[in-house]
Amino acid sequence: MKYTTQIIINKPLYECLDLLEDHNSKKHWQDGFESFEHVSGDLGKVGSKMRLNYVFDKRKISLTETIAQKELGKTFHVNYNMDGMHNIQENYFEALDSNTTKWVSNNEFAPTRFRTRMMLLLMPKAFKKQSKKYLVDFKHFAENITTSKQEDETT
């Protein structure tokens, strides 16, 4: 299953990218996020792997995030692998002006087991809804935090 979601964020491009790459900030905008651990590669570089741990309704889920492509200020593509599912996420970013960022996320879910294939066939809207929720929650998080640079300008 393939689909695209997008959102406009009232925050400068590079601030959005810094927040997205900061795994410590995920707890603020990804429901269920518990922890992360570095698995291999140079942190933040193409080929690096992180294990991301989530809890949804007392169910623990662990997935591996691999950075597939990264072009500073333009793209950030990642692959997510978990038991029964492979997700390719291609993220494109565009500065609409000095304080506005457009984020387009192309998602492809490829089930690797019969059970997840059936889940994908029966509940495609749930996957799309969750992807959109993460973008909306990130937008709210990014727009409502204050960076030290902004604090310096107001004092």
Side-chain angles (χ1 to χ4, degrees):
M1 173 175 66
K2 294 181 182 182
Y3 60 89
T4 299
T5 54
Q6 65 181 354
I7 198 158
I8 303 297
I9 304 163
N10 297 312
K11 201 73 160 177
L13 174 68
Y14 288 100
E15 286 184 38
C16 289
L17 294 174
D18 287 346
L19 290 171
L20 276 172
E21 288 192 50
D22 178 9
H23 284 80
N24 288 310
S25 76
K26 285 188 187 315
K27 64 185 173 206
H28 299 292
W29 60 276
Q30 285 192 2
D31 284 344
F33 182 78
E34 288 284 312
S35 63
F36 67 93
E37 58 193 272
H38 178 246
V39 175
S40 66
D42 293 333
L43 280 174
K45 304 287 184 191
V46 171
S48 68
K49 295 180 186 258
M50 298 290 285
R51 185 169 332 327
L52 307 177
N53 301 299
Y54 295 82
V55 175
F56 296 106
D57 297 326
K58 298 181 185 178
R59 192 171 135 230
K60 292 184 179 189
I61 297 174
S62 181
L63 53 94
T64 303
E65 171 191 78
T66 305
I67 298 177
Q69 181 182 339
K70 185 176 177 180
E71 186 177 349
L72 190 61
K74 294 183 180 182
T75 62
F76 186 68
H77 301 338
V78 289
N79 295 327
Y80 295 103
N81 287 296
M82 61 178 281
D83 189 31
M85 188 69 73
H86 176 69
N87 171 225
I88 299 168
Q89 189 178 79
E90 296 178 341
N91 298 292
Y92 298 92
F93 302 93
E94 178 185 352
L96 299 179
D97 60 38
S98 63
N99 198 44
T100 311
T101 302
K102 181 179 180 181
W103 176 8
V104 177
S105 181
N106 296 327
N107 289 274
E108 179 178 354
F109 285 89
T112 59
R113 292 197 172 155
F114 178 77
R115 182 177 180 207
T116 53
R117 184 176 310 275
M118 292 308 296
M119 189 171 66
L120 195 63
L121 287 171
L122 296 172
M123 304 181 339
K125 288 182 182 177
F127 287 84
K128 295 173 185 178
K129 183 178 177 182
Q130 185 62 46
S131 296
K132 186 64 174 183
K133 181 180 182 343
Y134 279 152
L135 266 64
V136 169
D137 288 351
F138 177 80
K139 171 187 172 72
H140 290 229
F141 168 66
E143 291 177 354
N144 291 300
I145 63 166
T146 305
T147 64
S148 58
K149 182 179 177 185
Q150 289 171 323
E151 289 169 356
D152 291 343
E153 291 172 358
T154 59
T155 56

